[in-house]
Amino acid sequence: GLAITVLNPPTVSTDKTLVTTDNLVDHNIFWIPSLKKFILGFKNESQGNDFEVVIGEVDDAGAFTWGSLVEVEAGTLSGEPAFTYDTNSNKVVAVWRDSGTSDINSIVGTVSGNSISFGTKVAIDSNGAGDVAVCFDSTNNKVVATWIDDSGNNSYAVSAVGTVSGTGISWGTAVDVNAYGTYNTHCTYDPDTQRVLAVTRKASDNQINSHVGTVSGTSISWGSATEIVSDGLYPEIVYDTENNKAVVGYITGGNTC
């Protein structure tokens, strides 16, 4: 099963809250500030590798309360799912790679209390491989997804701009983030410069690069890659709105973060 230890300053809870006794893998947790809730997504190996989620909230003492597990799609999740929150439509957007078809899929969720309901799945790409990531451009009210595209065996990092309408989402044409084989990608939004920030890991030498994207309508354009480190693994990027800085985390060759 999966248990969560809560760190919620200024109170630190050392208690563990049982989410489920099922065997959960490839889990990813996302905080929704406006709702003060978490969404936890995972592959449930006890339920045929179903893609499932659960909504949680934490009180002032640092204790979690979890809702019931909700199935997004049966037996389809490959790797960790990605989540963002569209503050314009007040909807969760989930993106994941299908283990059977390699499709990069998306879906819109509506949170109500400690539960969530979903609209209809929408495919973004049919040649997905490796990581998926998603973030929300609050200036243009657009969702931006990044993933690895395996068409033509190039394995470039690619991206697309999504527009949420009701419980559905539509996507613009996929645009390359880079022009080299890529193992990992991740993205976030910088509201200060009104740009999307992405990081990628180059397949040939594990170089980690950053990329700046500009959303226009239902498309996005990317600038040149900027090297962050010459050798790293599994980069992720977040934006610190208090200090107007991007923070990149990655694993070094010595398996330290």
Side-chain angles (χ1 to χ4, degrees), residues 177-194:
V177 177
N178 58 22
Y180 51 77
T182 305
Y183 280 147
N184 308 112
T185 181
H186 199 256
C187 67
T188 192
Y189 182 67
D190 175 353
D192 183 49
T193 63
Q194 301 179 2

Side-chain angles (χ1 to χ4, degrees), residues 14-191:
T14 57
D15 295 330
K16 295 181 179 179
T17 303
L18 185 66
V19 180
T20 176
T21 56
D22 287 354
N23 188 30
L24 311 182
V25 298
D26 293 338
H27 30 73
N28 193 13
I29 193 166
F30 179 78
W31 169 245
I32 307 171
S34 61
L35 301 182
K36 297 183 178 180
K37 296 179 187 294
F38 294 89
I39 180 167
L40 174 66
F42 45 82
K43 179 193 294 184
N44 191 334
E45 291 189 329
S46 300
Q47 301 295 330
N49 295 329
D50 291 352
F51 174 20
E52 297 181 344
V53 299
V54 61
I55 300 295
E57 57 185 338
V58 62
D59 62 23
D60 292 338
F64 263 110
T65 302
W66 293 97
S68 300
L69 304 189
V70 176
E71 180 184 292
V72 180
E73 191 170 47
T76 66
L77 183 61
S78 175
E80 294 180 4
F83 302 96
T84 195
Y85 190 71
D86 181 334
T87 55
N88 180 57
S89 64
N90 297 317
K91 301 294 184 183
V92 171
V93 177
V95 174
W96 74 100
R97 183 165 70 97
D98 189 299
S99 58
T101 65
S102 294
D103 286 352
I104 303 298
N105 291 322
S106 62
I107 203 165
V108 174
T110 305
V111 176
S112 177
N114 274 5
S115 188
I116 186 169
S117 58
F118 290 98
T120 302
K121 175 185 71 175
V122 177
I124 311 173
D125 187 12
S126 60
N127 296 290
D131 289 351
V132 296
V134 65
C135 59
F136 181 66
D137 176 342
S138 56
T139 301
N140 295 292
N141 291 325
K142 298 295 183 182
V143 175
V144 177
T146 62
W147 67 96
I148 311 301
D149 182 272
D150 202 31
S151 58
N153 296 317
N154 290 323
S155 296
Y156 292 170
V158 297
S159 59
V161 174
T163 306
V164 173
S165 178
T167 58
I169 187 168
S170 58
W171 294 91
T173 303
V175 175
D176 291 344
V177 177
N178 58 22
Y180 51 77
T182 305
Y183 280 147
N184 308 112
T185 181
H186 199 256
C187 67
T188 192
Y189 182 67
D190 175 353

Side-chain angles (χ1 to χ4, degrees), residues 137 189 193-198 211-215 220-223:
D137 176 342
Y189 182 67
T193 63
Q194 301 179 2
R195 297 290 188 268
V196 176
L197 308 178
H211 314 262
V212 177
T214 304
V215 172
I220 185 169
S221 57
W222 295 93

Side-chain angles (χ1 to χ4, degrees), residues 168-256:
I169 187 168
S170 58
W171 294 91
T173 303
V175 175
D176 291 344
V177 177
N178 58 22
Y180 51 77
T182 305
Y183 280 147
N184 308 112
T185 181
H186 199 256
C187 67
T188 192
Y189 182 67
D190 175 353
D192 183 49
T193 63
Q194 301 179 2
R195 297 290 188 268
V196 176
L197 308 178
V199 288
T200 60
R201 171 188 163 208
K202 198 172 183 179
S204 61
D205 57 9
N206 292 331
Q207 176 179 298
I208 294 176
N209 293 320
S210 63
H211 314 262
V212 177
T214 304
V215 172
S216 178
T218 58
S219 189
I220 185 169
S221 57
W222 295 93
S224 301
T226 300
E227 181 181 332
I228 302 174
V229 293
S230 60
D231 188 9
L233 307 173
Y234 310 116
E236 295 193 4
I237 186 168
V238 296
Y239 192 77
D240 177 352
T241 55
E242 290 187 8
N243 295 291
N244 292 330
K245 300 290 183 184
V247 180
V248 177
Y250 55 91
I251 305 297
T252 68
N255 292 324
T256 57

